[in-house]
Amino acid sequence: MNYRKMFVVKPGEKIRLDKIDPDFTDDVSNKQDGAEKTSANAQLLADLQYKLYAENRQSLLIILQAMDAGGKDGTIAHVLSPMNPQGCRVQGFKAPSADELEHDFLWRIHRVAPRNGEVVIFNRSHYEDVLVVRVHDLVPQSVWSRRYEFINDFEKMLTARRTRVVKFFLHISKEEQLKRFEKRLDEKDKHWKISAGDYQERQYWDDYMAAFEDALSRCSTADAPWYVIPSNHKWFRNLAVSQILVETMQDMKMALPKPTVNIEEIRKLAAAEWDKMKKKE
Ligand code: ATP
Ligand code: MG
């Protein structure tokens, strides 16, 4: 199944999140099947990342956004962990520090964008500046409403410099969120993840959905697409994200660099070294 086509937000398309079923699992009825495909994809991703790193010319920026307990951390753990940490980095964004607030909203983002050859995963991102900031009136509407345009320009600039930008909204239902919070209460080793704030934010669910709808509609572009991933079932979420990432990276057509030495000459040197070793025996 072509998940890129199925889940992409078409540029300019006005989307309605309540029309997208977070329980969707396609024709993959079986969790086991899904998990097997995901681990095959994760292996492919590791190979693709090796090429990206070796090529050292392009880069990949993966943006993850979701409501609390939406599965950002789980996606990173399941889909992206086979990548080599040498060329891969996760960057989380909390509420901005006093220093960060003294700058434009993209300042803290741009400085941690990927360098050549790197895969960077944003766990939250500059989209918070049109999500939480809008829902809680942290800046006036006249300020946040211009940010969609700035974000599009920023991402366009990254793309022009060979950074592929791909964005995932992990779509869960309000009920699923409550279930996941409940699970955290039940499991002692998840207590650290619980905050009273999470329950308060739920009161703003509809405002968040409206803010997400605008962000997804206004900032999904041909070069930097948004995908809405049905995420009530974690295994399907992992499958869809991994599938889309494999296809995106395959499209990037990385090429291993040509050797800088004459391999035949090096082979001769190696053979001579083996001869010396053998003579010593
Ligand atoms: P997560 O919920 O992503 O797993 P966490 O629970 O470890 O992370 P939180 O304390 O929830 O950490 O940190 C993220 C918080 O920071 C979120 O509530 C988010 O809305 C807020 N945040 C991120 N960026 C901004 C921003 N630009 N302005 C205001 N708040 C922001
Ligand atoms: Mg949180």
Side-chain angles (χ1 to χ4, degrees), residues 41-88:
N41 282 340
Q43 201 44 58
L44 286 174
L45 280 177
D47 295 344
L48 287 159
Q49 185 225 352
Y50 172 78
K51 274 194 176 171
L52 184 80
Y53 182 75
E55 183 195 51
N56 196 33
R57 190 179 162 272
Q58 309 176 69
S59 55
L60 177 66
L61 175 59
I62 302 165
I63 295 179
L64 297 179
Q65 287 286 165
M67 295 297 283
D68 286 311
K72 298 189 281 21
D73 294 351
T75 304
I76 293 168
H78 286 94
V79 178
L80 301 153
S81 55
M83 288 194 180
N84 185 340
Q86 182 140 261
C88 182

Side-chain angles (χ1 to χ4, degrees), residues 4 9-10 17 23 44 52 60 90 92 103 109 113-114 125 136 140-141 144 158 198 214-215 236-237 277:
R4 279 201 294 182
V9 178
K10 293 190 197 83
L17 287 169
D23 270 316
L44 286 174
L52 184 80
L60 177 66
V90 179
H103 297 82
I109 308 291
S125 65
H136 290 289
Q141 177 166 3
W144 61 252
L158 295 182
D198 288 347
D214 272 349
F236 182 75
R237 170 202 75 204
M277 295 284 286

Side-chain angles (χ1 to χ4, degrees), residues 68 72 93-96 108 123-124 128-129 132-133 138:
D68 286 311
K72 298 189 281 21
F93 295 96
K94 309 265 176 186
R108 66 174 183 158
N123 183 344
R124 302 184 186 272
E128 293 292 330
D129 293 282
V132 62
V133 167
L138 300 182

Side-chain angles (χ1 to χ4, degrees), residues 14 117 162 180 186 189 213 249 257:
K14 189 93 197 79
R162 304 181 305 279
R180 292 186 185 182
D186 291 343
D189 64 353
E213 285 173 352
M249 288 191 86

Side-chain angles (χ1 to χ4, degrees), residues 1-279:
M1 198 45 74
N2 188 336
Y3 291 141
R4 279 201 294 182
K5 248 198 183 143
M6 199 180 260
F7 299 136
V8 74
V9 178
K10 293 190 197 83
E13 176 190 21
K14 189 93 197 79
I15 62 151
R16 288 272 307 270
L17 287 169
D18 60 351
K19 299 271 187 258
I20 301 176
D21 179 13
D23 270 316
F24 180 80
T25 54
D26 198 12
D27 51 5
V28 199
S29 49
N30 172 325
K31 189 172 165 174
Q32 187 62 31
D33 272 5
E36 275 167 26
K37 282 186 190 143
T38 299
S39 61
N41 282 340
Q43 201 44 58
L44 286 174
L45 280 177
D47 295 344
L48 287 159
Q49 185 225 352
Y50 172 78
K51 274 194 176 171
L52 184 80
Y53 182 75
E55 183 195 51
N56 196 33
R57 190 179 162 272
Q58 309 176 69
S59 55
L60 177 66
L61 175 59
I62 302 165
I63 295 179
L64 297 179
Q65 287 286 165
M67 295 297 283
D68 286 311
K72 298 189 281 21
D73 294 351
T75 304
I76 293 168
H78 286 94
V79 178
L80 301 153
S81 55
M83 288 194 180
N84 185 340
Q86 182 140 261
C88 182
R89 166 160 62 87
V90 179
Q91 199 70 52
F93 295 96
K94 309 265 176 186
S97 67
D99 186 35
E100 287 166 346
L101 285 172
E102 298 277 329
H103 297 82
D104 70 83
F105 77 106
L106 290 171
W107 180 74
R108 66 174 183 158
I109 308 291
H110 198 180
R111 55 207 287 267
V112 292
R115 59 190 298 157
N116 292 346
E118 211 179 16
V119 175
V120 173
I121 300 135
F122 279 0
N123 183 344
R124 302 184 186 272
S125 65
H126 43 295
Y127 283 93
E128 293 292 330
D129 293 282
V130 289
L131 295 166
V132 62
V133 167
R134 162 173 159 168
V135 169
H136 290 289
D137 294 315
L138 300 182
V139 300
Q141 177 166 3
S142 58
V143 173
W144 61 252
S145 64
R146 296 198 62 198
R147 288 181 173 170
Y148 302 98
E149 183 193 332
F150 298 144
I151 288 174
N152 286 340
D153 285 345
F154 170 62
E155 293 179 358
K156 202 175 188 178
M157 181 192 61
L158 295 182
T159 307
R161 214 211 145 264
R162 304 181 305 279
T163 296
R164 184 65 76 103
V165 183
V166 54
K167 304 174 288 203
F168 296 102
F169 171 59
L170 310 177
H171 180 41
I172 59 166
S173 62
K174 201 175 174 187
E175 189 187 345
E176 177 65 19
Q177 185 192 54
L178 198 56
K179 280 191 200 156
R180 292 186 185 182
F181 284 171
E182 208 62 35
K183 234 176 144 211
R184 289 179 181 177
L185 280 173
D186 291 343
E187 292 174 32
K188 228 175 165 193
D189 64 353
K190 292 215 169 134
H191 283 180
W192 69 274
K193 277 199 169 193
I194 299 173
S195 80
D198 288 347
Y199 287 89
Q200 279 153 25
E201 281 313 279
R202 267 175 73 75
Q203 313 311 314
Y204 299 95
W205 186 277
D206 292 344
D207 294 340
Y208 270 107
M209 290 306 114
F212 267 114
E213 285 173 352
D214 272 349
L216 299 172
S217 293
R218 298 180 66 175
C219 299
S220 192
T221 60
D223 285 333
W226 267 111
Y227 296 97
V228 178
I229 306 295
S231 298
N232 274 3
H233 299 281
K234 295 173 181 174
W235 63 269
F236 182 75
R237 170 202 75 204
N238 292 341
L239 173 62
V241 169
S242 66
Q243 188 75 30
I244 290 169
L245 285 176
V246 165
E247 286 169 19
T248 301
M249 288 191 86
Q250 282 170 342
D251 261 7
M252 291 167 75
K253 304 206 185 327
M254 284 84 69
L256 292 176
K258 293 218 163 55
T260 52
V261 292
N262 181 330
I263 295 293
E264 282 318 308
E265 292 299 317
I266 299 287
R267 270 196 225 286
K268 279 180 207 158
L269 288 177
E273 284 302 308
W274 278 118
D275 280 349
K276 275 191 226 161
M277 295 284 286
K278 277 179 199 148
K279 271 179 202 151

